[in-house]
Amino acid sequence: MNRHARLDTSPIPFIDVAAQRRRLGGAIDEAVARVMAHCQFIQGPEVRALETELAAYCGARHVIACASGTDALLLVLMAWEIGPGDAVICPSFTFCATAEMVALLRATPIMADVQVDTFNLDPDSLQRAVATAKRLGLKPKAVIPVDLFGLPADHDAIAAVAAEHGLFVLDDAAQAFGAAYRGKKLGALGAAAITSFFPAKPLGCYGDGGAVFTDDDALAARIKSLRVHGEGVDKYDAVGIGITGRLDSIQAAVLLEKLKIFPEEIVARDRAAARYSDGLAGVATVPRVGNESSSVWAQYTIRLAPGRRDGLAAALKAQGIPTAIYYRKPLHRQRAYCSFPVVDGGAPVSERLAEEVISLPMHAYLDPPVQDRIIAAVRGTLAN
Ligand SMILES: *Cc1c(COP(=O)(O)O)cnc(C)c1O
């Protein structure tokens, strides 16, 4: 028999949302049907129940469910009255939403660099970015560390720099809800944290959704008002300028069901990541998770020697294996963000990572035989 005839090239999903749907389908359909029956589509009982469950899960005092992770970022920055003349320091190697809401409020995002082994904000670069902001005549107000690909940033070191300069810390845990840092779940770190329930995130709903986490009572109250048009005690006597930033009851109902299996899914993701790392350590730079952290593996991202990435992506594609590149350009190279200041000394690590990273299929339902096929394909290509 021809060897090639036996090579399995059937398509593998990058994230298998359908596998989870098969597991939970009935329970989710029933949960959604309950909302259809009571018809409280906005601020229904599921929203309050979800906020309570999320708070218990991560240990935050307040959880405010939002229409998206981006709205969650916006609401926190609005509540802190971030605006023109203020600088907010962001890593350049992230999804654009991190800096986008800063810019939307006419404040200035300063693009800082990341660490090569964690892809997360470099505390030394944060320190330099504060100086850059001051040199430009801006007031450094806040920092938004991102827990990229599900791995917590270096939160203690970032908190120390933030304390030195009086910066608010807003943890962008859009990709990392469920991960822990020094025994604390994300959501419980920083003055506030946010996450996203976009379907491809580790805890995703069936549309857009997000949440704010904080222990600060006054901040939580302001965000709850801003989430609903700046409403006062009387709904029709507005006390602030806000947005429509609520999570739908149907999405809350979906999330309540998914939250029940989330801890198991995190274990499955961690097992899949370990299997990748065992299989690929010799041929690529595999992700490193320090003893102080756990990752929820929103992405499993390896680094390759310069020039090898396109060839690997094409070879895998031919075998039915999808890959993705998060991110091909750091923020400071993107058209919408290239005119904002970059930290003095630049962000060379962000630029280098943009050339070297590639992400492999990752989800909680990645079967070992499928994963072995991916590992063999990567090894087979990179060994040549
Ligand atoms: C997904 C994401 C967001 C935005 O979340 P949405 O729910 O899509 O608005 C923000 N920051 C990071 C790092 C993200 O990955």
Side-chain angles (χ1 to χ4, degrees), residues 68-70 94-95 97-98 146 172 174-175 196 201 209:
S68 69
T70 305
T94 180
F95 179 61
T98 309
V146 178
D172 181 346
Q175 304 182 4
S196 165
K201 309 282 167 140

Side-chain angles (χ1 to χ4, degrees), residues 167-183:
L167 305 177
F168 290 118
V169 177
L170 168 51
D171 181 21
D172 181 346
Q175 304 182 4
F177 187 67
Y181 176 82
R182 295 196 197 280

Side-chain angles (χ1 to χ4, degrees), residues 67-73 93-100 144 146-149 172-176 194-199 201 207-211 327:
S68 69
T70 305
D71 276 359
L73 286 167
F93 194 66
T94 180
F95 179 61
C96 66
T98 309
E100 185 181 27
I144 311 183
V146 178
D147 308 294
L148 204 71
F149 305 149
D172 181 346
Q175 304 182 4
I194 69 97
T195 198
S196 165
F197 304 125
F198 182 78
K201 309 282 167 140
D208 280 307
Y327 297 93

Side-chain angles (χ1 to χ4, degrees), residues 44-55 252 256 259:
E46 291 79 7
V47 176
R48 182 60 56 80
L50 176 70
E51 289 174 339
T52 304
E53 296 268 319
L54 292 172
L256 279 167
L259 198 54

Side-chain angles (χ1 to χ4, degrees), residues 46 49 60 67 149 151 167 177 202 265 277 280 349 355 368 373:
E46 291 79 7
F149 305 149
L151 179 71
L167 305 177
F177 187 67
E265 290 188 331
S277 291
L280 298 175
V349 177
E355 302 284 330
R373 207 180 111 196

Side-chain angles (χ1 to χ4, degrees), residues 253-275:
V254 170
L255 287 164
L256 279 167
E257 295 307 313
K258 290 202 183 192
L259 198 54
K260 292 178 188 163
I261 60 162
F262 188 49
E264 265 177 55
E265 290 188 331
I266 292 174
V267 172
R269 285 173 174 276
D270 206 43
R271 202 180 300 130
R275 197 177 182 88

